[in-house]
Amino acid sequence: MTRLLLCSIRVTVTRPEPARVRIGVVDKSKRLPQLRKRARVTRAGRGLMLVGALAKEWGTDHLPWDKRVWAELHGEQRR
């Protein structure tokens, strides 16, 4: 049986430098994300594996009311 969970999230995209993009996702859960080993039988739990493969760095910020999971993508700076 699949259980549907409804939640509210906020997505932010900032550009701290010309060749760097930071993407953040804020939700109300206090539970920290966990990097899981790849499971063959499930489709869930692969988000951080994908983030780790694509991002230069990532982390979690504890906020007073929720948490933010963020990732930074670095590219080449155009002239």
Side-chain angles (χ1 to χ4, degrees):
M1 179 168 84
T2 302
R3 193 168 78 181
L4 179 63
L5 299 175
L6 300 176
C7 63
S8 176
I9 64 169
R10 182 179 64 202
V11 177
T12 60
V13 179
T14 57
R15 194 171 182 182
E17 295 177 0
R20 196 174 85 188
V21 173
R22 179 179 268 221
I23 301 166
V25 177
V26 178
D27 66 21
K28 297 290 182 191
S29 172
K30 294 287 188 180
R31 200 167 50 177
L32 296 177
Q34 294 181 342
L35 184 59
R36 301 179 194 172
K37 291 186 178 183
R38 184 176 169 194
R40 293 181 185 183
V41 295
T42 182
R43 294 181 182 175
R46 296 183 181 164
L48 285 183
M49 185 175 69
L50 293 171
V51 169
L54 297 172
K56 182 75 171 178
E57 56 187 302
W58 67 273
T60 304
D61 297 329
H62 299 277
L63 304 173
W65 55 92
D66 46 29
K67 73 171 182 304
R68 177 189 308 118
V69 179
W70 57 268
E72 287 196 0
L73 306 172
H74 295 208
E76 293 182 22
Q77 186 173 353
R78 295 184 183 183
R79 292 181 185 223

